[in-house]
Amino acid sequence: MSDSNITEFINPSTFILVGIPGLEVAHVWISIPFCTMYIIALLGNSAILFIVKREPSLHEPMYYFLCMLAVTDLFLSMSTLPKILSIFWFNSREIDFNACLAQMYFFHCFSAMESGIFVAMALDRYVAICDPLRHSTILTNPVVAKIGLAVALRGGMLLVPYPILARRWPYCRTNIIPHTYCEHMAVVNLACTDTRISNYYGLFVVFSVIGMDVFCIVVSYVQILRAIFSLPTKDARLKTFGTCGSHLCVILAFYMPGLFSFLTHRFGQNVPPHFHILLANVYLLVPPMLNPIIYGVRTKQIRDSLFQIFTNKGT
């Protein structure tokens, strides 16, 4: 075998994204809800950023964290959805090797950042409920900025080994990825060598990021619930717990599909491939779409600001 062929196998010039295996004939129909959710995510998160910037009364830690979440959701959607829709609409399945690794990195990087932002929002709720008199002195603007920087650096640095390790493996079996985007394990599974390092590091990232974040969120809400149940009246307890409703909803929308996707990928050998891919896309699509809707519906300040904008335009 010539050196050129060996090089081609080790570092393929392109990968082929299949889309949703077994449902290729329905790609056009599947693209309709995908495109709808993508547009809602873009408009909704952009609206959140616009409203918070426009209203000085919303310049508080809770809304700063919400803006971080909106920016993360925008980048998470834009890192994958345009290519997915091009597969569905134009059968454009080829993706450059380096572009695939970049997509892999940014998708997992922004997912890790989103998880970290949920921890920051849980911290905000904890301080607001358990120590309300010191909320403004604890979560100052510099502290909020440092938290946001720490979340971004953690996500960015922890995920650097993903593309570095994936670039090292020889891909001599096939360059066809049975997925809609370059998900980490979908790429690594194509390698024709021992990839246990990537597998173990992937598990380390999951447990160190998602596991640690979920643990911190649970600890925060245990303390929050203790503070709520110590309130004297039922109305006060319900009103205080209501301030956490939006946060709890977006947490469930983010972690539940991700948990099911992780479990089916690791342990669901008998799960049909198209079901796993659809579940992975639910994890990709639903949180960025639902987050602005949940906060827009449940947060009175955002709802009133949005109503005021449309009222002024109508006038």
Side-chain angles (χ1 to χ4, degrees):
M1 184 178 293
S2 66
D3 291 341
S4 61
N5 287 337
I6 294 174
T7 303
E8 181 181 355
F9 280 141
I10 293 177
N11 190 2
S13 59
T14 59
F15 280 122
I16 306 297
L17 291 167
V18 171
I20 303 178
L23 298 179
E24 288 86 352
V25 295
H27 275 176
V28 174
W29 295 105
I30 296 173
S31 71
I32 297 175
F34 274 49
C35 183
T36 302
M37 287 188 281
Y38 181 43
I39 292 172
I40 293 173
L42 293 180
L43 294 178
N45 287 291
S46 299
I48 291 290
L49 294 173
F50 175 74
I51 290 170
V52 173
K53 181 181 179 181
R54 180 178 181 270
E55 293 295 328
S57 62
L58 301 182
H59 294 176
E60 299 176 359
M62 172 183 172
Y63 300 103
Y64 291 146
F65 291 134
L66 182 56
C67 286
M68 296 178 195
L69 183 64
V71 171
T72 304
D73 281 336
L74 285 172
F75 282 112
L76 181 63
S77 299
M78 291 188 292
S79 67
T80 51
L81 261 298
K83 182 59 182 177
I84 293 174
L85 292 176
S86 71
I87 295 171
F88 290 164
W89 290 341
F90 311 113
N91 202 31
S92 176
R93 300 185 178 190
E94 288 192 0
I95 183 170
D96 182 77
F97 179 74
N98 293 322
C100 183
L101 297 185
Q103 187 187 69
M104 174 207 302
Y105 170 77
F106 286 117
F107 165 72
H108 291 287
C109 176
F110 291 125
S111 296
M113 289 182 189
E114 185 152 344
S115 181
I117 293 169
F118 288 139
V119 177
M121 297 172 87
L123 173 65
D124 173 69
R125 291 298 85 206
Y126 165 75
V127 176
I129 292 174
C130 298
D131 200 358
L133 297 179
R134 298 179 58 202
H135 182 265
S136 59
T137 58
I138 293 175
L139 290 177
T140 60
N141 288 345
V143 170
V144 171
K146 290 177 182 177
I147 292 174
L149 180 61
V151 167
L153 287 177
R154 185 193 68 161
M157 294 176 65
L158 268 179
L159 275 302
V160 167
Y162 272 20
I164 293 176
L165 289 173
R167 181 182 288 276
R168 291 180 55 195
W169 309 134
Y171 298 93
C172 54
R173 293 173 182 167
T174 179
N175 66 338
I176 298 176
I177 302 175
H179 213 298
T180 53
Y181 57 92
C182 293
E183 196 269 338
H184 176 239
M185 290 309 301
V187 174
V188 171
N189 285 339
L190 300 183
C192 55
T193 188
D194 186 359
T195 60
R196 281 181 294 181
I197 296 177
S198 286
N199 294 335
Y200 292 153
Y201 188 76
L203 288 173
F204 166 75
V205 170
V206 168
F207 287 110
S208 62
V209 174
I210 305 299
M212 185 61 67
D213 289 353
V214 170
F215 174 77
C216 292
I217 291 171
V218 170
V219 170
S220 297
Y221 270 95
V222 168
Q223 299 300 318
I224 288 171
L225 289 175
R226 288 179 59 185
I228 288 175
F229 286 127
S230 67
L231 294 175
T233 65
K234 181 179 179 181
D235 289 341
R237 290 193 290 269
L238 290 175
K239 183 177 179 180
T240 304
F241 186 74
T243 63
C244 303
S246 299
H247 186 229
L248 289 172
C249 289
V250 296
I251 285 175
L252 292 175
F254 178 77
Y255 287 116
M256 293 305 292
L259 175 63
F260 284 120
S261 179
F262 172 78
L263 292 176
T264 56
H265 190 84
R266 295 283 177 178
F267 308 109
Q269 287 78 12
N270 297 324
V271 176
H274 66 269
F275 179 80
H276 169 68
I277 303 304
L278 283 172
L279 196 58
N281 281 277
V282 167
Y283 172 68
L284 170 68
L285 284 163
V286 171
M289 177 194 69
L290 282 184
N291 292 344
I293 294 176
I294 291 171
Y295 273 98
V297 171
R298 294 188 57 87
T299 307
K300 184 177 184 298
Q301 294 92 326
I302 293 178
R303 193 169 60 245
D304 291 346
S305 298
L306 190 62
F307 178 76
Q308 184 181 4
I309 291 172
F310 281 111
T311 302
N312 291 339
K313 286 184 177 181
T315 304

